[in-house]
Amino acid sequence: MKSTMLRLVTAIFIAVGSAHAQDTSSGNAEAGAVVFKRCMACHMVGPDAKNGAGPVLNGVVGRAAGVYPDYSYSAANKNSGLTWDEPTLTIYLHAPRKLVPGTKMTFAGLNKDQEIADVIAYLKQFNAQGQKVGP
Protein backbone atom coordinates (compact mmCIF):
# COMPACT_ATOMS: atom_id res chain seq x y z
CA MET A 1 0.00 0.00 0.00
CA LYS A 2 2.78 2.43 0.99
CA SER A 3 4.72 1.56 -2.18
CA THR A 4 1.62 2.04 -4.34
CA MET A 5 0.97 5.44 -2.78
CA LEU A 6 4.61 6.48 -3.31
CA ARG A 7 4.38 5.47 -6.98
CA LEU A 8 1.14 7.44 -7.39
CA VAL A 9 2.60 10.56 -5.78
CA THR A 10 5.75 10.14 -7.88
CA ALA A 11 3.70 9.85 -11.08
CA ILE A 12 1.83 13.03 -10.24
CA PHE A 13 5.05 14.93 -9.50
CA ILE A 14 6.59 13.70 -12.74
CA ALA A 15 3.54 14.67 -14.80
CA VAL A 16 3.44 18.15 -13.31
CA GLY A 17 7.21 18.53 -13.34
CA SER A 18 7.57 17.37 -16.93
CA ALA A 19 5.44 20.26 -18.10
CA HIS A 20 7.46 22.60 -15.87
CA ALA A 21 10.79 21.14 -17.01
CA GLN A 22 9.92 21.67 -20.67
CA ASP A 23 9.75 25.42 -20.02
CA THR A 24 13.34 25.52 -18.77
CA SER A 25 15.93 26.61 -21.29
CA SER A 26 18.65 24.13 -22.05
CA GLY A 27 21.42 23.89 -19.53
CA ASN A 28 24.99 25.09 -19.77
CA ALA A 29 27.50 22.46 -18.62
CA GLU A 30 30.16 25.06 -17.72
CA ALA A 31 27.72 26.92 -15.48
CA GLY A 32 26.60 23.53 -14.13
CA ALA A 33 30.18 22.77 -13.02
CA VAL A 34 29.98 25.85 -10.80
CA VAL A 35 26.56 24.85 -9.41
CA PHE A 36 27.82 21.30 -8.82
CA LYS A 37 30.36 22.64 -6.31
CA ARG A 38 27.42 22.81 -3.88
CA CYS A 39 26.89 19.07 -4.39
CA MET A 40 30.53 18.10 -3.90
CA ALA A 41 30.23 17.88 -0.11
CA CYS A 42 28.38 14.60 -0.72
CA HIS A 43 28.75 13.60 -4.41
CA MET A 44 31.60 13.04 -6.85
CA VAL A 45 31.88 12.64 -10.63
CA GLY A 46 34.81 11.74 -12.84
CA PRO A 47 37.10 8.74 -13.34
CA ASP A 48 38.35 8.74 -9.73
CA ALA A 49 34.94 9.37 -8.10
CA LYS A 50 34.08 7.46 -4.95
CA ASN A 51 30.91 7.15 -2.90
CA GLY A 52 30.76 9.57 0.01
CA ALA A 53 27.78 10.78 1.99
CA GLY A 54 25.99 10.44 -1.36
CA PRO A 55 26.56 8.08 -4.29
CA VAL A 56 28.83 8.71 -7.27
CA LEU A 57 26.89 10.56 -9.98
CA ASN A 58 28.76 9.21 -13.01
CA GLY A 59 26.15 8.20 -15.58
CA VAL A 60 23.31 9.30 -13.31
CA VAL A 61 21.20 10.79 -16.13
CA GLY A 62 19.19 7.82 -17.35
CA ARG A 63 20.12 5.55 -14.41
CA ALA A 64 17.56 3.86 -12.18
CA ALA A 65 17.39 5.25 -8.66
CA GLY A 66 19.10 3.37 -5.87
CA VAL A 67 21.42 1.16 -7.91
CA TYR A 68 24.96 2.61 -7.86
CA PRO A 69 27.30 -0.14 -6.59
CA ASP A 70 28.46 -0.19 -2.98
CA TYR A 71 26.31 2.70 -1.82
CA SER A 72 23.88 2.22 1.07
CA TYR A 73 20.68 3.79 -0.25
CA SER A 74 17.58 4.47 1.80
CA ALA A 75 14.70 2.06 1.25
CA ALA A 76 12.72 5.04 -0.05
CA ASN A 77 15.26 5.63 -2.83
CA LYS A 78 15.80 1.95 -3.69
CA ASN A 79 12.06 1.31 -3.87
CA SER A 80 11.04 4.55 -5.58
CA GLY A 81 10.86 3.03 -9.07
CA LEU A 82 12.36 6.25 -10.45
CA THR A 83 14.74 6.67 -13.35
CA TRP A 84 16.88 9.78 -13.20
CA ASP A 85 15.90 11.25 -16.56
CA GLU A 86 15.95 15.02 -17.02
CA PRO A 87 12.33 15.73 -15.98
CA THR A 88 12.65 13.55 -12.87
CA LEU A 89 15.99 15.08 -11.89
CA THR A 90 14.48 18.54 -12.38
CA ILE A 91 11.72 17.76 -9.90
CA TYR A 92 14.09 16.02 -7.48
CA LEU A 93 16.65 18.81 -7.49
CA HIS A 94 13.92 21.32 -6.66
CA ALA A 95 12.83 19.38 -3.55
CA PRO A 96 14.40 15.95 -2.99
CA ARG A 97 12.30 15.03 0.04
CA LYS A 98 9.04 15.89 -1.70
CA LEU A 99 9.71 13.51 -4.57
CA VAL A 100 11.29 10.78 -2.44
CA PRO A 101 9.97 11.01 1.11
CA GLY A 102 12.42 9.21 3.37
CA THR A 103 15.49 9.87 1.21
CA LYS A 104 18.81 10.22 3.05
CA MET A 105 19.62 13.30 0.96
CA THR A 106 19.56 16.26 3.34
CA PHE A 107 20.04 18.95 0.68
CA ALA A 108 16.91 21.13 0.56
CA GLY A 109 17.10 21.65 -3.21
CA LEU A 110 17.96 24.26 -5.80
CA ASN A 111 15.57 27.18 -6.28
CA LYS A 112 16.51 28.36 -9.75
CA ASP A 113 15.33 26.44 -12.81
CA GLN A 114 18.39 27.52 -14.80
CA GLU A 115 20.79 26.22 -12.14
CA ILE A 116 19.01 22.87 -12.23
CA ALA A 117 19.18 22.74 -16.02
CA ASP A 118 22.87 23.67 -15.84
CA VAL A 119 23.80 21.01 -13.28
CA ILE A 120 21.92 18.37 -15.30
CA ALA A 121 23.83 19.45 -18.43
CA TYR A 122 27.06 19.10 -16.44
CA LEU A 123 26.15 15.62 -15.17
CA LYS A 124 25.11 14.46 -18.65
CA GLN A 125 28.73 14.84 -19.73
CA PHE A 126 29.86 11.89 -17.57
CA ASN A 127 29.33 8.29 -18.60
CA ALA A 128 29.08 5.47 -16.06
CA GLN A 129 32.90 5.20 -15.94
CA GLY A 130 33.30 8.91 -15.25
CA GLN A 131 34.68 9.80 -18.67
CA LYS A 132 33.46 13.03 -20.27
CA VAL A 133 31.53 12.01 -23.37
CA GLY A 134 29.91 15.21 -24.50
CA PRO A 135 30.07 18.96 -24.36
Side-chain angles (χ1 to χ4, degrees):
M1 174 86 171
K2 204 175 198 181
S3 178
T4 302
M5 184 60 119
L6 178 60
R7 282 181 174 47
L8 176 61
V9 169
T10 299
I12 292 168
F13 272 118
I14 289 172
V16 171
S18 292
H20 180 68
Q22 290 171 358
D23 293 339
T24 303
S25 63
S26 62
N28 177 303
E30 288 180 26
V34 174
V35 176
F36 187 75
K37 289 179 181 180
R38 296 185 224 168
C39 310
M40 290 173 64
C42 298
H43 296 283
M44 294 177 74
V45 292
D48 298 322
K50 294 179 181 19
N51 289 323
V56 169
L57 297 181
N58 292 337
V60 71
V61 181
R63 182 170 79 204
V67 300
Y68 193 82
D70 301 321
Y71 183 76
S72 178
Y73 287 96
S74 66
N77 196 300
K78 284 192 288 190
N79 300 322
S80 68
L82 296 174
T83 297
W84 298 124
D85 56 19
E86 291 180 55
T88 304
L89 278 168
T90 299
I91 296 164
Y92 187 72
L93 291 174
H94 266 290
R97 290 187 217 139
K98 284 186 181 179
L99 183 59
V100 183
T103 184
K104 292 185 341 185
M105 186 156 152
T106 58
F107 185 67
L110 296 169
N111 295 325
K112 297 177 182 172
D113 291 340
Q114 190 60 53
E115 288 183 340
I116 291 171
D118 292 344
V119 81
I120 292 170
Y122 174 71
L123 291 171
K124 283 174 62 176
Q125 297 180 108
F126 295 92
N127 67 15
Q129 293 74 40
Q131 304 301 319
K132 277 195 172 184
V133 294

